[in-house]
Amino acid sequence: MRSLILTLTILFTCFGAKAQGLTGKVENHPKKEMDVVLMLFGMDNPITIGKVDPKGQISVNLEGVGIAGIPEEVRSMFMGELIHNFYFSCGEPSAFGEMSGKPALRQDFLRLTQGDQWSGTVFLVSDEKLRPWLEDSGYSNAVKGSFYEIIYVEEDLAINTTCSNQIIASEEETVDVVYEFDLELKKGFNWVEYEILEIHETNSEIRASFPSRVKVRNLKDPSTMKWIGAYF
């Protein structure tokens, strides 16, 4: 029994470590090596987390990545409250309780650079149909599936709550939406998965369909992730 417990502990530890480091393939990547960076603190302060090779093989790792090199005045300019650093916002600013105001910073898409030039963007989605919606949610319909982002926090935080908000669908209709948060955030950078569970269908002449129920959680299965590149 002790041997089984030890084996399971090692497996879960290895999975947790691997979850911080991901690999994949960016389709239609130009035949150039590029750095994968975060630009949470602006273009003048990129944080390198990996590379993509000339064949489009991408490798990124958040393990050990920090912000020690970012000047304090820059940090204070960009950092915000945890409650405001997710793609979806709760209607109540106090939805996370005492954790609502904890310092945090969100990175939506991965940036690709070559030298000092920002050369491309990588969207992380489970379904390519989510990309148009991420680029323009007003005119492109949402679909069920997951997309992935990165969040930085200054301390370990656990968020397990459900909150709501209201979205205006038309002059005559306001829709109640639900966001379920189940997150264990570690100090530093974390992968976050947004799973769209339900869609509110709209009149497309007024606005695009949008998510009405979403699960926000730690990345569980990296194999579902597609790496969609866009280049300048």
Side-chain angles (χ1 to χ4, degrees):
M1 178 61 73
R2 291 180 60 186
S3 175
L4 175 60
I5 294 174
L6 178 60
T7 300
L8 290 173
T9 300
I10 293 173
L11 286 173
F12 284 125
T13 301
C14 290
F15 177 78
K18 290 179 180 178
Q20 288 290 75
L22 306 178
T23 60
K25 177 69 179 293
V26 183
E27 299 297 336
N28 302 317
H29 179 73
K31 297 179 180 180
K32 300 176 181 179
E33 181 176 287
M34 297 183 183
D35 289 322
V36 184
V37 304
L38 307 178
M39 291 185 180
L40 299 92
F41 299 99
M43 294 181 63
D44 294 332
N45 297 280
I47 299 173
T48 301
I49 62 169
K51 288 186 177 295
V52 55
D53 71 14
K55 295 183 179 180
Q57 296 294 332
I58 190 169
S59 176
V60 296
N61 197 338
L62 302 180
E63 189 72 27
V65 176
I67 63 171
I70 307 298
E72 183 58 41
E73 61 270 20
V74 175
R75 297 189 206 180
S76 61
M77 185 188 313
F78 285 90
M79 294 286 286
E81 296 181 336
L82 180 67
I83 192 70
H84 300 305
N85 270 285
F86 292 98
Y87 185 95
F88 298 100
S89 299
C90 297
E92 286 292 329
S94 59
F96 297 165
E98 63 180 13
M99 290 182 295
S100 292
K102 296 291 185 179
L105 192 54
R106 162 185 165 243
Q107 178 71 82
D108 46 9
F109 319 125
L110 301 182
R111 275 62 169 172
L112 301 178
T113 60
Q114 194 170 34
D116 294 328
Q117 298 296 316
W118 180 8
S119 302
T121 299
V122 177
F123 298 88
L124 305 178
V125 295
S126 65
D127 187 329
E128 292 186 37
K129 293 179 182 178
L130 279 168
R131 176 188 165 183
W133 172 73
L134 287 171
E135 292 184 292
D136 190 345
S137 61
Y139 290 93
S140 298
N141 292 325
V143 298
K144 291 182 180 180
S146 293
F147 64 99
Y148 313 86
E149 294 188 343
I150 293 171
I151 191 168
Y152 173 84
V153 292
E154 292 191 335
E155 59 184 284
D156 293 353
L157 298 171
I159 308 169
N160 194 329
T161 190
T162 297
C163 69
S164 62
N165 206 341
Q166 292 188 324
I167 304 294
I168 298 175
S170 68
E171 291 183 359
E172 298 80 23
E173 183 183 24
T174 300
V175 179
D176 292 323
V177 296
V178 176
Y179 306 130
E180 304 169 19
F181 288 83
D182 185 12
L183 284 165
E184 295 285 340
L185 301 175
K186 299 299 182 182
K187 179 181 179 179
F189 293 95
N190 299 262
W191 296 102
V192 174
E193 176 178 353
Y194 299 88
E195 184 182 6
I196 299 172
L197 301 173
E198 296 178 5
I199 303 289
H200 179 79
E201 303 292 339
T202 63
N203 180 343
S204 60
E205 294 183 0
I206 299 176
R207 66 158 299 164
S209 299
F210 55 86
S212 57
R213 181 166 166 252
V214 180
K215 179 87 169 183
V216 187
R217 62 188 180 192
N218 297 84
L219 171 62
K220 299 296 184 185
D221 184 5
S223 68
T224 62
M225 185 183 291
K226 293 183 180 180
W227 309 71
I228 311 299
Y231 303 92
F232 313 134

